[in-house]
């Protein structure tokens, strides 16, 4: 079946921010992320200059001394915003590769209707707005209690971070919804289809490398989110604000759930089909092997050459069975899985750093009291 690979679904048109950035400003995910980093630098410096919080003073921390806004503004937020645009385009690319592959037969019109129906749901935007409002409110409440933070030095920096949080959380929520929606799309395309897995395909994934690449990129995103969560936990631990806001720690199990879902979700969609294709191939070989093996007894009285040919065929079937048994049932290789495992512990960096710093400060205070 031939497909027009130039066909694009333009899923970004269902989100006003993505439509504005892609259609009106013609920005790519990379350009959008870099622009976000530059904008954060300008806004931070201008806000600190207006509020006279550029340098540290008595009882307040200046912008140039607080490393957390720079980490978030120059790295975490730009990556999140870049992935936000990427999530609209990546699913379309994967679908096109699946449509043009030899692994399965697809109905393009059916897929288009299903995908557009999912991305056009109004509740997606409403959920993102509600999430942005909730988290920005939490940030506005918590920031004054972070005494060692630039954002607590005056009202203007706190408002700036609150507004930035609203924008980033909105796009981050849409990003998460896109990733979940994409997983559902993969299940719709691959769930009940008969897959024609190529055991000698150079991608070592049976011809489904596009799913492996997609999952690995989401794993990198999860790593960045893990760093962000680690920063939040670091602040909560070192500045003792966790007692009144214990629910902040719930981001850890949420992170683990999202990490596993984003990586394994697309892969599980193809796993059942790949496993079924492998089992069917093994069953066919086993039936042929049984027939040939049973018939070899009737050839014992035949000529040596005929018996030799049948014996060679049985040996070839055994070899074919062994090769087929090595067919992949997951659309990723060991290298991809190893990279994913390296991304999972990223929140521990901030958590362990915060615990170590808190322990060291308490230890020094105790020593100081004893010495006094």
């Amino acid at each position: 079946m031939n497909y027009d690979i130039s066909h694009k679904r333009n899923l970004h048109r269902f989100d006003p921010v993505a439509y504005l950035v892609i259609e009106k400003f013609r920005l790519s995910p990379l350009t959008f992320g870099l622009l976000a980093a530059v904008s954060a630098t300008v806004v931070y410096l201008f806000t600190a200059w207006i509020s006279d919080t550029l340098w540290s003073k008595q009882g307040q921390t200046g912008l140039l001394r607080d490393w957390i806004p720079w980490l978030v503004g120059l790295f975490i937020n730009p990556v999140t915003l870049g992935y936000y645009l990427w999530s609209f385009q990546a699913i379309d690319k994967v679908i096109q590769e699946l449509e043009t592959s030899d692994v399965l037969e697809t109905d393009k019109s059916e897929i288009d209707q299903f995908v557009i129906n999912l991305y056009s749901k109004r509740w997606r935007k409403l959920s993102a707005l509600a999430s942005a409002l909730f988290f920005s409110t939490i940030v506005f409440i918590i920031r004054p209690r972070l005494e060692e933070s630039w954002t607590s030095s005056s009202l203007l920096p706190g408002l700036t971070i609150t507004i930035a949080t609203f924008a980033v959380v909105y796009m981050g929520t849409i990003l998460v919804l896109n990733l979940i929606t994409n997983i559902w799309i993969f299940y719709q395309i691959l769930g009940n289809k008969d897959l024609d897995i190529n055991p000698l395909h150079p991608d070592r994934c049976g011809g489904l490398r596009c799913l492996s690449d997609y999952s690995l990129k989401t794993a990198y995103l999860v790593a960045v989110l893990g760093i962000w969560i680690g920063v939040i936990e670091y602040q909560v631990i070192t500045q003792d604000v966790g007692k009144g806001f214990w629910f902040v720690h719930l981001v850890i199990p949420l992170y683990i759930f999202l990490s596993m879902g984003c990586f394994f979700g697309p892969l599980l969609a193809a796993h059942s089909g790949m496993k079924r294709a492998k089992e069917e191939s093994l069953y066919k070989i086993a039936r042929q092997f049984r027939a040939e093996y049973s018939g070899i007894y009737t050839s014992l009285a035949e000529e040596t050459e005929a018996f030799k040919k049948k014996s060679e065929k049985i040996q070839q079937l055994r070899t074919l069975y062994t090769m087929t048994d090595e067919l992949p049932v997951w659309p990723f290789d060991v290298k991809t899985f190893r990279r994913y495992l390296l991304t999972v512990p990223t929140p521990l960096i901030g958590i362990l750093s915060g615990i170590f710093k808190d322990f060291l400060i308490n230890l020094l205070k105790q020593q100081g009291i004893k010495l006094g």
Side-chain angles (χ1 to χ4, degrees):
M1 185 177 295
N2 295 324
Y3 296 104
D4 179 13
I5 60 176
S6 63
H7 170 75
K8 292 185 179 180
R9 294 165 181 85
N10 296 327
L11 300 175
H12 57 268
R13 70 182 187 272
F14 298 111
D15 182 74
V17 178
Y19 179 82
L20 179 67
V21 173
I22 295 177
E23 292 293 337
K24 301 300 181 181
F25 298 123
R26 301 292 180 179
L27 298 181
S28 66
L30 177 60
T31 305
F32 187 44
L34 294 175
L35 182 61
V38 173
S39 300
T41 302
V42 173
V43 171
Y44 285 175
L45 293 175
F46 181 75
T47 302
W49 177 66
I50 292 294
S51 60
D52 194 23
T53 56
L54 192 61
W55 306 98
S56 298
K57 296 180 181 179
Q58 184 66 29
Q60 74 176 35
T61 301
L63 173 63
L64 298 181
R65 190 179 177 184
D66 190 0
W67 58 272
I68 293 179
W70 295 109
L71 174 65
V72 175
L74 299 182
F75 176 65
I76 296 177
N77 287 351
V79 172
T80 302
L81 300 188
Y83 265 96
Y84 159 73
L85 290 188
W86 170 84
S87 64
F88 289 99
Q89 302 170 350
I91 180 62
D92 190 45
K93 181 180 178 181
V94 175
I95 291 175
Q96 288 186 19
E97 292 186 13
L98 290 175
E99 289 174 342
T100 56
S101 70
D102 297 326
V103 178
L104 75 161
E105 291 290 333
T106 59
D107 186 341
K108 187 168 69 68
S109 60
E110 180 182 349
I111 293 175
D112 284 347
Q113 182 178 1
F114 180 75
V115 171
I116 292 174
N117 182 57
L118 289 178
Y119 267 84
S120 61
K121 297 295 184 181
R122 186 180 180 185
W123 63 263
R124 288 163 48 89
K125 295 187 285 290
L126 296 178
S127 299
L129 288 172
S131 177
L133 181 62
F134 174 77
F135 282 101
S136 59
T137 301
I138 294 298
V139 167
F140 184 76
I141 295 174
I142 291 179
R143 283 299 170 182
R145 301 183 59 177
L146 301 177
E147 298 178 355
E148 299 179 10
S149 174
W150 167 66
T151 56
S152 65
S153 58
S154 69
L155 180 61
L156 188 57
L159 286 174
T160 301
I161 295 300
T162 300
I163 295 172
T165 300
F166 183 90
V168 173
V169 170
Y170 172 85
M171 287 181 271
T173 302
I174 292 292
L175 167 60
V176 172
L177 292 176
N178 285 352
L179 296 180
I180 296 174
T181 302
N182 294 347
I183 293 173
W184 183 243
I185 292 172
F186 291 141
Y187 272 93
Q188 180 68 17
I189 297 176
L190 299 167
N192 299 318
K193 299 293 179 63
D194 293 327
L195 304 183
D196 184 15
I197 303 301
N198 184 355
L200 300 180
H201 200 284
D203 67 3
R204 298 183 180 180
C205 299
L208 292 173
R209 168 63 69 177
C210 57
L211 286 178
S212 178
D213 293 340
Y214 174 87
S215 295
L216 185 58
K217 289 178 181 177
T218 60
Y220 292 150
L221 169 64
V222 168
V224 175
L225 296 178
I227 295 174
W228 193 354
I229 291 173
V231 170
I232 295 174
E233 289 292 324
Y234 176 85
Q235 289 182 300
V236 169
I237 294 172
T238 58
Q239 302 191 35
D240 196 26
V241 296
K243 295 180 180 179
F245 300 94
W246 57 267
F247 53 85
V248 174
H249 300 295
L250 294 178
V251 295
I252 297 297
L254 178 62
Y255 159 78
I256 296 175
F257 175 77
L258 288 176
S259 172
M260 296 180 64
C262 289
F263 182 76
F264 287 105
L267 303 177
L268 278 169
H271 171 63
S272 58
M274 296 178 71
K275 183 178 180 181
R276 185 169 59 250
K278 176 179 177 179
E279 291 175 348
E280 289 177 356
S281 298
L282 290 175
Y283 182 68
K284 291 178 181 179
I285 298 173
R287 284 192 304 175
Q288 183 66 26
F289 178 85
R290 182 178 180 180
E292 295 293 337
Y293 189 77
S294 299
I296 197 172
Y297 291 104
T298 61
S299 63
L300 291 176
E302 298 179 2
E303 297 180 359
T304 304
E305 187 65 26
F307 179 79
K308 181 179 178 182
K309 289 182 179 180
K310 290 187 177 182
S311 299
E312 290 178 350
K313 187 173 183 180
I314 290 177
Q315 186 62 38
Q316 290 172 356
L317 287 172
R318 290 186 60 183
T319 303
L320 180 60
Y321 186 93
T322 302
M323 292 177 58
T324 306
D325 193 42
E326 296 175 354
L327 274 173
V329 293
W330 288 94
F332 67 87
D333 52 16
V334 177
K335 184 178 180 180
T336 301
F337 186 64
R338 188 185 301 119
R339 289 180 179 178
Y340 165 71
L341 291 179
L342 291 176
T343 67
V344 177
T346 47
L348 296 178
I349 300 174
I351 296 173
L352 295 178
S353 300
I355 293 175
F356 178 76
K357 180 181 178 180
D358 195 47
F359 172 78
L360 185 60
I361 291 175
N362 291 333
L363 181 63
L364 292 177
K365 286 181 178 180
Q366 292 177 3
Q367 293 294 331
I369 292 174
K370 291 180 180 180
L371 291 174

